[in-house]
Amino acid sequence: MRIRRMSSAAVIVAVGLGMLTTTARADEPAGGGSASAGGTCARPASGLPLPVTRDHGVLQAQVFDRQVPDPSVYAGRVGFVWGALKAAQPAGVLASSYVTAFRNAPARQYTPEWFKTNHPDWIEYTADRTTPAWEFNNQVYTPIDISNPEVRQWFTTNLIDPALAAGFTTIAVDNIGVRNDFHVSGHYDKDGNWVQQFGTDPKDPAWVADVLDWLRYLRDYAHAHGASVAFNLTFNGSLHDEFQDKSPEYLAALDQMIDISDIWLNEQGFTVHRTENVVDDEWQLMFDLLRRHRCKPSVILNKLPTDYWNQATPEQRQWVVANYLLYRESPAMLESTGRKDYATFNEIPEMSADLGTAITPPVRRGPVLWTRLYREGITVVNPTSSQTAQLTLPSGTYTDLHGAQYSGKINIPANTGLVLKRS
């Protein structure tokens, strides 16, 4: 176990787990549908295509599969492929076809010049009224006015209908901006007059309203054709960059958009391409968000801070699984990658963890520690950056995912997750 240097303010909390089977947390976050203490979510009665879920172990997802030559590796492990190349998958695996929310990806044949020539009034610009509102400075795909009925018809005809005809029953919609972070300002009408749509505030209510309406349109279109939608709605509360937002209005808009989705992808889990894990208030915001939507089919992608997954520390990989077992309900799926093994199937040994079914919901023990009791063990998370906690285990011996054994009273350092199976 990696030990972080503790501050003088370290807190020791003794926690006896013998009563966990009968104790539930009174302040369990509300929302996201019903869930029992054992972690069971009822499958939606819509009849729409959704991943086949389970109530134990780690159900994996595959985000993109362009580097997976043989999908038979998914058997018994993967329930969903986000952005699949082919609709046909092994039994029990649901595939989705990829589009982007505000651009024409992946249809490269429709270049920016094509839009300028054929539909100049569809192009969205920044406040200078000259520069297209390129996402991520990608100038291959054109930002288009998703509020325009003609654009919507073109989008479904040229991007969604071909996927449905190819046998896909789920549409994966990427890069949904809860905020207007790429500075869309407006467009020109067919007469060349400027149409101002949004102000400079990235949380402009007009932007949020347009995105909500667009997502409902996509969902309803897919449902009318017997298909489901999987939205990439990544929570930026744990990003240390210009897009970070923890405000109540941002979270409220995000909640509404997640509710519209059938399947939710969040590309920021409890590791975000950085050496340390997500901790403290950022951890709490992420955890609360996942619990609010605990009965929504979800894919949480934890991006490790190394080029390849096996270069990340075993402790960090166990941290990912410990958090998953803490927040997860039956529809929750997990993926973890390094920077250069994205879109490959990663044989991460920690992903084989299985403690059986949950007996309790997540329980906060004292000011620091979180635990959850399973029929065959316990998952433990200390999500702080500087405090340690002390845990008194029930009688017996417990083994973590790397073979270390624990019994009696143990210290849980800051920034640590443990998956402990009863021996």
Side-chain angles (χ1 to χ4, degrees), residues 157-239:
T157 298
N158 291 277
L159 298 180
I160 293 181
D161 288 354
L164 298 175
F168 284 99
T169 56
T170 303
I171 305 300
V173 185
D174 201 8
N175 303 140
I176 298 171
V178 180
R179 298 169 18 128
N180 184 9
D181 287 314
F182 298 105
H183 314 297
V184 177
S185 183
H187 61 270
Y188 293 94
D189 65 18
K190 291 182 178 181
D191 297 321
N193 300 308
W194 177 254
V195 179
Q196 185 72 36
Q197 292 174 279
F198 310 111
T200 57
D201 181 359
K203 289 178 285 192
D204 184 345
W207 169 266
V208 174
D210 268 13
V211 174
L212 287 169
D213 189 63
W214 175 227
L215 297 184
R216 293 186 188 101
Y217 175 88
L218 291 173
R219 177 201 61 191
D220 293 348
Y221 187 88
H223 287 188
H225 291 80
S228 56
V229 289
F231 291 160
N232 179 357
L233 289 159
T234 293
F235 175 43
N236 289 336
S238 59
L239 285 174

Side-chain angles (χ1 to χ4, degrees), residues 17-304:
L17 291 178
M19 295 299 292
L20 275 178
T21 55
T22 58
T23 303
R25 179 170 165 252
D27 59 339
E28 175 69 11
S34 62
S36 74
T40 300
C41 288
R43 186 173 176 85
S46 64
L48 293 168
L50 294 173
V52 176
T53 60
R54 62 183 182 218
D55 60 2
H56 65 94
V58 178
L59 179 60
Q60 293 179 233
Q62 179 68 39
V63 179
F64 297 114
D65 62 356
R66 56 184 177 270
Q67 296 185 49
V68 183
D70 181 8
S72 67
V73 296
Y74 299 156
R77 302 173 71 176
V78 171
F80 179 61
V81 182
W82 164 276
L85 294 177
K86 296 180 180 179
Q89 298 291 332
V93 180
L94 178 67
S96 60
S97 183
Y98 179 87
V99 297
T100 50
F102 310 132
R103 300 174 291 163
N104 60 294
R108 284 177 174 265
Q109 67 270 33
Y110 300 104
T111 64
E113 290 303 319
W114 183 89
F115 283 100
K116 289 179 182 178
T117 300
N118 294 279
H119 298 286
D121 56 309
W122 292 5
I123 303 172
E124 294 279 39
Y125 291 92
T126 62
D128 67 10
R129 305 186 182 186
T130 301
T131 307
W134 306 115
E135 290 186 15
F136 311 104
N137 200 33
N138 180 310
Q139 300 182 22
V140 175
Y141 301 110
T142 304
I144 50 181
D145 176 18
I146 48 89
S147 67
N148 184 335
E150 292 181 0
V151 170
R152 293 183 173 193
Q153 181 63 55
W154 179 90
F155 191 100
T156 54
T157 298
N158 291 277
L159 298 180
I160 293 181
D161 288 354
L164 298 175
F168 284 99
T169 56
T170 303
I171 305 300
V173 185
D174 201 8
N175 303 140
I176 298 171
V178 180
R179 298 169 18 128
N180 184 9
D181 287 314
F182 298 105
H183 314 297
V184 177
S185 183
H187 61 270
Y188 293 94
D189 65 18
K190 291 182 178 181
D191 297 321
N193 300 308
W194 177 254
V195 179
Q196 185 72 36
Q197 292 174 279
F198 310 111
T200 57
D201 181 359
K203 289 178 285 192
D204 184 345
W207 169 266
V208 174
D210 268 13
V211 174
L212 287 169
D213 189 63
W214 175 227
L215 297 184
R216 293 186 188 101
Y217 175 88
L218 291 173
R219 177 201 61 191
D220 293 348
Y221 187 88
H223 287 188
H225 291 80
S228 56
V229 289
F231 291 160
N232 179 357
L233 289 159
T234 293
F235 175 43
N236 289 336
S238 59
L239 285 174
H240 293 272
D241 64 16
E242 61 181 321
F243 298 150
Q244 186 184 60
D245 200 330
K246 305 177 185 180
S247 66
E249 59 267 31
Y250 169 79
L251 289 168
L254 178 61
D255 281 333
Q256 290 182 76
M257 295 178 192
I258 294 170
D259 284 340
I260 295 169
S261 70
D262 298 312
I263 304 167
W264 167 41
L265 168 65
N266 183 347
E267 289 188 283
Q268 307 296 349
F270 294 97
T271 61
V272 193
H273 274 334
R274 53 196 176 101
T275 303
E276 74 274 19
N277 296 318
V278 175
V279 293
D280 297 328
D281 68 317
E282 296 178 359
W283 182 94
Q284 192 67 57
L285 286 168
M286 181 70 75
F287 176 80
D288 289 345
L289 178 69
L290 295 175
R291 290 300 293 172
R292 283 200 301 276
H293 300 280
R294 59 189 175 270
C295 287
K296 174 76 65 176
S298 63
V299 177
I300 310 302
L301 173 58
N302 288 262
K303 297 180 179 178
L304 299 165

